[in-house]
Amino acid sequence: MRRNLLLTFALAASSVAFAQTNLALTGTATATSGNDKAGWAIDNNEGTRWEAPAGDFAKSEDVSWSLDLGSVQTFNTIQIKWEGAYSKSFVISVSENGQNYTDVVTKTDVMLTDLLQNYSFDEVSARYIKFRNVARATQWGVSFWEFRVFKMDAATLTSIELTSQTTVAKVGTGVMLTATGKDQLGGAMDAGEMTFEVTPAEMGSVAGRVYTPAKAGEATIVAKSGDITSNEVKI
């Protein structure tokens, strides 16, 4: 049965590019449950996912997903794009030889609103990575769209995501704008001091991240920080 309330639908299958190299793309994935789809979590396609079928509740708690990078690689960040059926508690371990593992990420009692999560740790050199579910956040089998591995450089502002409280407003009525800085992996970060540009300029102004229309018509708004310009918002 399809989980209409939990399943995060991709509008279209998409390849995702980052400023950092995703070391997982050339690897091989296996799993103790849902193994036929284990590789779907490293195919750079956010329209396919690995899922451990729910089955018997007790058995489906104890599942793991493993990645063989093909050779020893150096990395310090793992990014998981979870599906709605995420793990409440889990452990990620790494190994050079596939026998002796060291835990690098341990999470307990997780509650997520943003299903794209970056997990950073001290730099390691390893070939094998193992994700082990400890407890599920939902009744469904744990699942993620993509499992990415990066040797992350120092976080730098790469983009700004601009959204507005509404796309329609009365003249003189303020509209709250939200501008979020993004690093190389799409993680939120401080964008520093930002300015806002309204086109045409006579349509309105932005003060304190609130846009106030001065006349009827459509305005295009962007946020800027240094040489980084956000997406356009039209009100």
Side-chain angles (χ1 to χ4, degrees):
M1 179 180 296
R2 297 187 66 83
R3 295 171 284 123
N4 294 330
L5 295 179
L6 287 174
L7 186 60
T8 304
F9 288 98
L11 295 179
S14 60
S15 294
V16 179
F18 297 98
Q20 306 287 141
T21 300
N22 179 8
L23 301 174
L25 292 180
T26 56
T28 303
T30 57
T32 58
S33 183
N35 187 53
D36 58 326
K37 298 178 180 178
W40 287 8
I42 55 170
D43 62 357
N44 201 34
N45 185 339
E46 293 188 350
T48 59
R49 64 190 173 91
W50 168 70
E51 176 189 24
D56 177 76
F57 186 93
K59 292 180 180 178
S60 60
E61 287 284 356
D62 186 20
V63 296
S64 63
W65 179 94
S66 299
L67 174 62
D68 178 358
L69 295 173
S71 62
V72 173
Q73 302 287 335
T74 301
F75 53 93
N76 58 9
T77 303
I78 288 172
Q79 181 185 77
I80 300 179
K81 181 162 187 181
W82 295 97
E83 196 259 347
Y86 62 89
S87 287
K88 181 174 73 173
S89 301
F90 64 93
V91 178
I92 299 176
S93 307
V94 300
S95 172
E96 286 194 17
N97 57 18
Q99 299 296 322
N100 304 311
Y101 280 84
T102 300
D103 297 345
V104 292
V105 177
T106 300
K107 296 292 181 181
T108 58
D109 295 325
V110 172
M111 292 184 64
L112 296 181
T113 53
D114 184 353
L115 297 178
L116 181 66
Q117 293 288 314
N118 294 331
Y119 305 103
S120 298
F121 41 86
D122 291 338
E123 192 172 282
V124 297
S125 294
R127 172 174 174 172
Y128 302 93
I129 303 173
K130 181 181 292 185
F131 163 89
R132 181 172 61 85
N133 181 66
V134 176
R136 295 176 296 169
T138 74
Q139 63 180 310
W140 309 105
V142 63
S143 177
F144 38 76
W145 298 99
E146 286 293 310
F147 187 103
R148 301 173 175 126
V149 182
F150 300 98
K151 183 179 182 297
M152 180 72 167
D153 297 330
T156 58
L157 182 65
T158 303
S159 64
I160 300 172
E161 181 181 79
L162 181 64
T163 59
S164 62
Q165 179 184 12
T166 182
T167 58
V168 179
K170 293 181 179 180
V171 172
T173 301
V175 177
M176 180 64 69
L177 302 173
T178 300
T180 305
K182 300 286 186 177
D183 64 18
Q184 305 96 304
L185 303 186
M189 68 173 294
D190 184 6
E193 185 175 349
M194 285 185 282
T195 59
F196 295 84
E197 291 186 1
V198 180
T199 306
E202 66 270 16
M203 292 303 302
S205 60
V206 178
R209 301 200 181 187
V210 175
Y211 167 69
T212 303
K215 57 188 296 187
E218 184 177 78
T220 299
I221 306 170
V222 297
K224 291 189 174 183
S225 178
D227 60 356
I228 304 295
T229 300
S230 75
N231 56 293
E232 295 182 345
V233 164
K234 295 184 183 296
I235 299 176

